[in-house]
Amino acid sequence: MSSTTEPTVVIVPGLRDHVADHWQTRLAERLAEAGRAVRTVPPLEGERLALDAQVGNLAATLAPLDGPLLLVAHSAGVITTVHWAARHRADVRGALLATPPDFGTPLPEGYPTRVELARNGWTPVPRGPLPFPSIVAAGADDPLGAPDRVAALARDWGSRLVELGEVGHLNPASGYGEWPLAEELLAQLEAGSARTAPAGERV
């Protein structure tokens, strides 16, 4: 439990298992080495495609934490976070939402179909403003979310949009084990500057 006013950083992965060279894993390690309080939502055993189970898993991770929170979500973890925010309240100071998938259009082969996503509760994705400051980091060539569709999500959520360029899905398969910008964006959220920065900026 966090005993200071410094926010606890909570890492919200997508539907994957633990990946040692993922930028979220490396970010958690660097922050912990620097003395920050960090928690990572563990992967579910069993029916991990069920949205209710994912939201419950995130809620259970947050429940024992005292004080303010900073959320760092990637991929389906972003959609889990948005659904969680529609059902729960906590002292969230900000959320970094990296490369959210677009569940409103068919995903590439090998990913859940729109029928499977709907059956498991993922759609419709909440589109109202989030109750905390947030930054959506979007790739120009993300196979899981076209830039205009992700920009629309950011706009509806009231998020600041940061355009990353050609980073794919911002995962090891796209060449991203390290993503140093995550710490910079997290610091901006912690400083309370997410709402005042220009929308759709490029980095």
Side-chain angles (χ1 to χ4, degrees):
M1 296 172 62
S2 175
S3 60
T4 72
T5 57
E6 188 175 55
T8 298
V9 178
V10 179
I11 307 294
V12 190
L15 300 178
R16 65 181 186 273
D17 290 316
H18 176 82
V19 178
D21 60 349
H22 195 283
W23 66 264
Q24 283 184 307
T25 306
R26 295 187 178 185
L27 174 65
E29 292 170 349
R30 286 196 302 273
L31 292 174
E33 289 170 359
R36 291 297 300 261
V38 184
R39 299 291 183 275
T40 297
V41 179
L44 280 173
E45 301 293 335
E47 191 51 58
R48 68 179 63 190
L49 191 57
L51 183 275
D52 285 347
Q54 293 290 344
V55 171
N57 195 27
L58 173 55
T61 301
L62 299 180
L65 303 178
D66 289 336
L69 307 166
L70 285 171
L71 308 181
V72 181
H74 175 252
S75 191
V78 173
I79 310 303
T80 297
T81 298
V82 172
H83 276 284
W84 170 85
R87 307 179 189 183
H88 300 273
R89 287 293 178 267
D91 184 10
V92 177
R93 298 294 171 85
L96 174 56
L97 309 174
T99 57
D102 173 23
F103 285 168
T105 57
L107 299 177
E109 185 176 355
Y111 289 90
T113 66
R114 294 178 68 183
V115 171
E116 290 172 320
L117 291 169
R119 185 169 59 238
N120 284 277
W122 293 90
T123 57
V125 172
R127 299 293 288 256
L130 293 171
F132 41 76
S134 57
I135 295 173
V136 168
D141 58 345
D142 188 346
L144 303 189
D148 60 331
R149 301 280 296 185
V150 175
L153 288 173
R155 182 173 59 251
D156 291 347
W157 294 336
S159 305
R160 170 183 157 204
L161 177 64
V162 174
E163 298 171 349
L164 303 176
E166 295 183 354
V167 298
H169 195 52
L170 201 67
N171 56 9
S174 302
Y176 282 85
E178 293 291 346
W179 184 41
L181 182 62
E183 291 180 75
E184 180 182 332
L185 296 177
L186 201 58
Q188 293 173 14
L189 283 164
E190 191 166 5
S193 60
R195 289 203 188 281
T196 59
E201 67 192 272
R202 295 183 181 273
V203 296

